[in-house]
Amino acid sequence: MNEIKFVIVTGLSGAGKTQAIQCLEDLGFFCVDNLPPTLIPKFAELCAQSEGKINKIALVVDIRGGGFFDAVYDSLENLKSLGIRCEILFLDASDETLVRRFKESRRRHPLGAQGRVLDGIREERLKLEEMKGKASKVIDTSNLTNKQLKEQITLLYGLDNEEYNLNIDVMSFGYKYGIPMDADLVFDVRFLPNPHYIKELRPLTGNDIEVQEYVFDSPVSKTFMKKFSGLIEFLIPHYINEGKTSLVIAIGCTGGQHRSVTLVNKLYKFLKTSNYMVNKRHRDLEKNMSGV
């Protein structure tokens, strides 16, 4: 039973669970959507008796289970007693994003009485608070396309190579758009020289060499990057020792266009030289950059 990879996919309705389970199925997982939580241990036992034919399992468990949902916590404890290590993937999104998605799909929220989507979202968020706290990985899909979500799922579960024992996601963001909900570590780099105030650099981004050279022309930037890289290099082995399988490092400036993008690119290159799976994304790069 110890050889079974068991993933519970849960989270807010409209946050992308369907896309996640489809991606896991493409990655070779045996997937079941909306399995009653009380059946999870028995299902796991049956899979364990398949003589290795079913060794990667993904189940979607959410509030659609109604009164049965609360049994999920007892079922997770039962899995432990069976010697099965279970990972919980929790998908989240902002209330605004979820409301928009429900309006676009014209679907009724499972808890939305009389079609009141926002009330349903808020009630569901409260019901899932404990589950989110137990999650191995939380992904905020508010600003992710289906393709980007698939990339993150693949990064987390696409390789069975034990050599890659920590997945690192390095993200730039703008404070004017809010701090990423799924970040484990958040760093504010608004103290670094701001290219926004240089006329010819303002329309460019941290992906452009001119901006990168401007930012790192400052001794403060060079010193910070050296100390920052050293800190991350120090922390990673300790996270691994604690059993952490994913790490989201978020670097923010005012608008998420210049400084944060520059540092994410630099940190990404630094981490790629180590034996880790690293992904980078620039959350707010395409948004309106006025006021950076």
Side-chain angles (χ1 to χ4, degrees), residues 136 165-167 184 239-248:
S136 311
N165 46 18
L166 180 67
N167 299 307
D184 295 301
Y239 282 126
I240 293 173
N241 289 338
E242 285 296 312
K244 195 170 183 63
T245 57
S246 65
L247 178 68
V248 179

Side-chain angles (χ1 to χ4, degrees), residues 2 5 39 52 63 66 77 109 112 117 119 135 138 147-148 160-161 164 175 179 188 193 199 204 207 226 233 266 268:
N2 290 321
K5 189 173 185 64
L39 297 180
I63 51 89
E77 288 300 317
H109 191 281
V117 175
D119 290 345
V138 178
K147 180 176 180 294
Q148 290 171 330
D160 294 324
N161 189 348
Y164 294 97
Y175 274 93
I179 296 175
D188 184 347
K199 184 177 179 181
L204 303 180
N207 289 328
K226 181 178 180 181
E233 189 175 32
K266 191 79 169 179
Y268 174 77

Side-chain angles (χ1 to χ4, degrees), residues 102-275:
F102 271 99
K103 287 185 177 296
E104 289 174 351
S105 66
R106 298 184 180 180
R107 295 188 62 195
R108 177 182 175 276
H109 191 281
L111 299 179
Q114 300 177 351
R116 295 171 183 167
V117 175
L118 187 56
D119 290 345
I121 292 170
R122 289 170 175 168
E123 183 180 351
E124 183 179 26
R125 205 176 282 283
L126 287 174
K127 286 180 176 292
L128 294 176
E129 188 174 8
E130 183 178 352
M131 180 66 85
K132 184 177 180 180
K134 294 178 179 294
S136 311
K137 172 64 178 176
V138 178
I139 298 180
D140 177 10
T141 68
S142 301
N143 297 287
L144 297 182
T145 63
N146 286 343
K147 180 176 180 294
Q148 290 171 330
L149 175 58
K150 184 175 181 179
E151 288 173 350
Q152 288 207 38
I153 299 294
T154 302
L155 186 67
L156 286 170
Y157 303 107
L159 288 179
D160 294 324
N161 189 348
E162 293 299 324
E163 190 176 32
Y164 294 97
N165 46 18
L166 180 67
N167 299 307
I168 304 172
D169 192 14
V170 188
M171 175 201 317
S172 69
F173 73 95
Y175 274 93
K176 65 189 288 186
Y177 301 110
I179 296 175
M181 288 193 300
D182 53 347
D184 295 301
L185 300 172
V186 179
F187 295 90
D188 184 347
V189 296
R190 286 177 289 185
F191 62 91
L192 298 181
N194 194 347
H196 173 76
Y197 297 111
I198 308 300
K199 184 177 179 181
E200 58 270 25
L201 298 181
R202 187 176 303 171
L204 303 180
T205 75
N207 289 328
D208 295 301
I209 188 65
E210 295 91 343
V211 171
Q212 296 169 12
E213 290 177 346
Y214 175 82
V215 171
F216 283 109
D217 187 52
S218 164
V220 173
S221 300
K222 293 175 182 176
T223 301
F224 172 75
M225 193 66 217
K226 181 178 180 181
K227 293 179 179 292
F228 177 48
S229 300
L231 173 63
I232 299 301
E233 189 175 32
F234 167 79
L235 289 174
I236 288 175
H238 293 284
Y239 282 126
I240 293 173
N241 289 338
E242 285 296 312
K244 195 170 183 63
T245 57
S246 65
L247 178 68
V248 179
I249 304 171
I251 303 174
C253 60
T254 307
Q257 181 182 6
H258 295 117
R259 293 165 290 181
S260 61
V261 174
T262 297
L263 266 71
V264 161
N265 289 338
K266 191 79 169 179
L267 182 62
Y268 174 77
K269 289 180 180 178
F270 171 75
L271 292 174
K272 285 290 285 184
T273 63
S274 301
N275 199 22

Side-chain angles (χ1 to χ4, degrees), residues 74-91:
D74 289 335
S75 294
L76 293 178
E77 288 300 317
N78 287 338
L79 286 180
K80 287 183 181 179
S81 67
L82 293 171
I84 297 176
R85 182 176 176 273
C86 178
E87 296 183 33
I88 299 175
L89 172 62
F90 191 98
L91 300 182

